[in-house]
Amino acid sequence: MSIRRQPYNDGLGPVFEIIGGKWKGVLLWELNAGPVRFGALKRRVKGISEKILIQQLREMEADGLVHRKMFHQVPPRVEYSVTPLGASLNEALSPLCEWGKCNLVIEEGNRKFLNEMDTPSGCRNDEREMT
């Protein structure tokens, strides 16, 4: 595992260091359902360049979140899947995804917090009333 060595006050710092950035959380989420070939993953994650996809997958593999399986055939085939550690991180990210669905919306590239009237059905009001 290639977790960087920095002093932290809590467990949140190392987590954000591992999944920080724009793509790692999205990639981890996409791999949650099962193994995915590189090309299919690139098509699922809109807007990611091939270079960044390769870089992010390599870092996630080094951190123990993702497993890379190479099939020695012609043409070469590679599948990525989430490891047990990656699956446990996905479980931890699930409440964050729900919070985002209930409290945020992105319109024309701008972040907007939802008010009580805009809250999607299925979101509990007590999630929004935390102090």
Side-chain angles (χ1 to χ4, degrees):
M1 227 161 148
S2 69
I3 297 176
R4 294 85 179 157
R5 304 276 182 226
Q6 292 182 12
Y8 295 105
N9 293 334
D10 56 31
L12 199 54
V15 172
F16 281 130
E17 197 165 302
I18 289 174
I19 61 162
K22 184 175 181 178
W23 300 110
K24 288 183 182 176
V26 175
L27 292 170
L28 196 60
W29 200 255
E30 287 296 330
L31 294 171
N32 201 33
V36 180
R37 291 177 67 173
F38 180 85
L41 192 55
K42 187 172 184 296
R43 286 188 297 274
R44 285 185 191 181
V45 181
K46 306 285 187 223
I48 191 168
S49 71
E50 191 166 319
K51 176 188 174 218
I52 297 298
L53 177 58
I54 291 167
Q55 177 185 4
Q56 299 288 279
L57 287 169
R58 283 182 182 159
E59 288 176 11
M60 292 168 69
E61 184 181 12
D63 287 335
L65 301 175
V66 169
H67 174 74
R68 180 180 189 263
K69 184 175 182 180
M70 180 79 168
F71 294 87
H72 299 286
Q73 62 187 46
V74 177
R77 187 178 95 182
V78 177
E79 278 186 354
Y80 291 90
S81 58
V82 20
T83 63
L85 182 64
S88 69
L89 182 54
N90 253 340
E91 288 178 27
L93 290 175
S94 185
L96 288 174
C97 292
E98 289 303 314
W99 185 89
K101 287 178 192 174
C102 291
N103 294 285
L104 292 171
V105 66
I106 306 292
E107 292 178 349
E108 300 172 9
N110 295 315
R111 193 174 35 221
K112 173 185 164 190
F113 285 96
L114 298 172
N115 62 39
E116 198 169 311
M117 299 302 292
D118 296 331
T119 303
S121 61
C123 293
R124 299 185 337 243
N125 281 338
D126 59 338
E127 289 175 359
R128 301 184 46 77
E129 294 173 3
M130 294 180 145
T131 56

